[in-house]
């Protein structure tokens, strides 16, 4: 009998770093001279929609060039064993969990490969750019924006996440700096075991029962083997 029956995994940019997608706060880099954090707001979009669309177009265009890594694959292996007792909650807008084969993935910050029409409130799977203001397939207006959650907006499906955290026996946080709420507070919503797997100590590392340091591609497969062992 497994020690942990129900598991919730939270992932952040760190799990995709070894696939070649840059994290938000590690690189210190700028995007065309802009802090990436400052193009991820409704205010930035209202002020300069072309700039914001180009930022997300570039990130969407990068997706076909990257592949899931060993950490994503290990979570698929975990889902094969746990089935519906595993929920992956991700802050990432990339699609690497899905491309690895995970099925129970919840994107609280939305997805790059989805476009949201602010005119008719419809959502559409989207591969190409948005900066040229294509027509919404639903209503024909030019009001499509990236279907991602910006600072100041409400993350998706928090009721579902809150329930899963309340019910789980183990919460594992992977590759997130713990600086963005509500995800940074998830560890406080858990009644049982907690574990952090991260390259560096996150802001809230001390709130976890256990913290392990290292790259996700090493730590996550090792932890999955240990759990299933
Ligand atoms: N393996 C494990 N962890 C890693 C690796 C790696 N190979 N590389 C980096 N990390 C860790 C870093 O040490 C850092 O703590 O991943 C974390 C990445 O932190 P952030 O860049 O802040 O990313 P994240 O926590 O996902 O950001 C949260 O902020 O900008 C918003 O909406 C955006 O979803 C994002 C949210």
């Amino acid at each position: 009998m497994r020690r942990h029956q129900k598991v919730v995994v939270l992932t952040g940019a760190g799990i995709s770093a070894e696939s070649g997608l840059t994290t938000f706060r590690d690189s210190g880099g700028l995007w065309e001279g802009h802090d990436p954090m400052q193009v991820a707001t409704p205010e930035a979009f209202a002020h300069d929609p072309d700039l914001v669309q180009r930022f997300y177009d570039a990130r969407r265009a990068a997706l076909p060039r990257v592949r899931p890594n060993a950490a994503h694959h290990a979570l698929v292996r975990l889902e094969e064993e746990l089935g519906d007792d595993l929920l992956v909650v991700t802050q990432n807008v990339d699609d690497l969990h899905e491309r690895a084969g995970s099925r129970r993935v919840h994107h609280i910050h939305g997805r790059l490969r989805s476009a949201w029409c602010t005119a008719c409130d419809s959502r559409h799977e989207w591969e190409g750019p948005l900066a040229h203001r294509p027509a919404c397939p639903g209503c024909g207006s030019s009001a499509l924006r990236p279907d991602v959650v910006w600072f100041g907006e409400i993350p998706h499906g928090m009721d579902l996440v809150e329930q899963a955290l309340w019910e789980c026996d183990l919460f594992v946080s992977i590759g997130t700096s713990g600086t963005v709420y509500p995800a940074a507070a998830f560890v406080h919503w858990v009644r049982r075991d907690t574990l952090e797997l991260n390259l560096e100590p996150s802001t809230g590392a001390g709130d976890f029962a256990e913290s392990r340091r290292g790259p996700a591609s090493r730590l996550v497969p090792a932890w999955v083997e240990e759990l299933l062992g």
Side-chain angles (χ1 to χ4, degrees):
M1 175 111 165
R2 288 196 313 266
R3 190 158 67 93
H4 299 106
Q5 294 297 306
K6 287 180 177 286
V7 179
V8 175
V9 168
L10 170 70
T11 63
I15 197 169
S16 297
E18 291 164 85
S19 293
L21 296 177
T22 47
T23 62
F24 296 93
R25 295 173 182 81
D26 294 314
S27 59
L30 298 178
W31 178 80
E32 293 192 3
H34 303 275
D35 179 346
M37 310 311 295
Q38 284 167 4
V39 291
T41 66
E43 292 77 15
F45 188 58
H47 175 69
D48 193 344
D50 288 347
L51 176 83
V52 174
Q53 294 281 24
R54 283 192 292 112
F55 173 69
Y56 286 96
D57 283 355
R59 296 181 64 198
R60 193 179 306 105
L63 293 181
R65 297 195 289 268
V66 299
R67 296 198 332 212
N69 64 53
H72 299 99
H73 290 300
L75 294 179
V76 178
R77 159 119 174 80
L78 188 61
E79 189 181 75
E80 282 164 5
E81 295 296 324
L82 268 55
D84 290 351
D85 285 338
L86 173 68
L87 177 66
V88 175
V89 177
T90 187
Q91 299 169 92
N92 298 343
V93 292
D94 67 52
D95 58 356
L96 293 177
H97 285 302
E98 287 87 350
R99 279 163 58 200
S102 286
R103 289 175 300 109
R104 283 177 51 81
V105 182
H106 182 65
H107 287 263
I108 57 172
H109 291 170
R111 295 187 301 119
L112 279 172
R113 281 188 160 156
S114 176
W116 173 29
C117 178
T118 54
C120 71
D121 195 26
S122 61
R123 290 182 152 84
H124 306 275
E125 291 299 308
W126 208 265
E127 300 286 329
L130 289 171
H132 61 297
R133 301 180 192 218
C136 166
C139 70
S141 69
S142 299
L144 292 170
R145 57 160 269 187
D147 190 7
V148 301
V149 175
W150 288 324
F151 287 98
E153 297 183 327
I154 299 170
H156 297 314
M158 290 310 299
D159 288 354
L160 178 155
V161 175
E162 193 172 344
Q163 176 89 14
L165 289 168
W166 179 253
E167 290 175 354
C168 75
D169 306 299
L170 174 63
F171 169 64
V172 184
S173 176
I174 302 170
T176 175
S177 58
T179 48
V180 175
Y181 285 83
F186 287 176
V187 63
H188 300 296
W189 303 0
V190 177
R191 293 181 297 169
R192 301 215 165 84
D193 220 355
T194 55
L195 169 67
E196 175 176 85
L197 306 175
N198 211 46
L199 198 58
E200 303 160 346
S202 71
T203 306
D207 297 325
F208 288 81
E210 185 186 348
S211 264
R212 299 180 190 174
R213 305 278 151 257
S217 65
R218 178 168 60 77
L219 293 188
V220 181
W223 164 67
V224 168
E225 287 312 313
E226 185 183 312
L227 189 83
L228 298 179

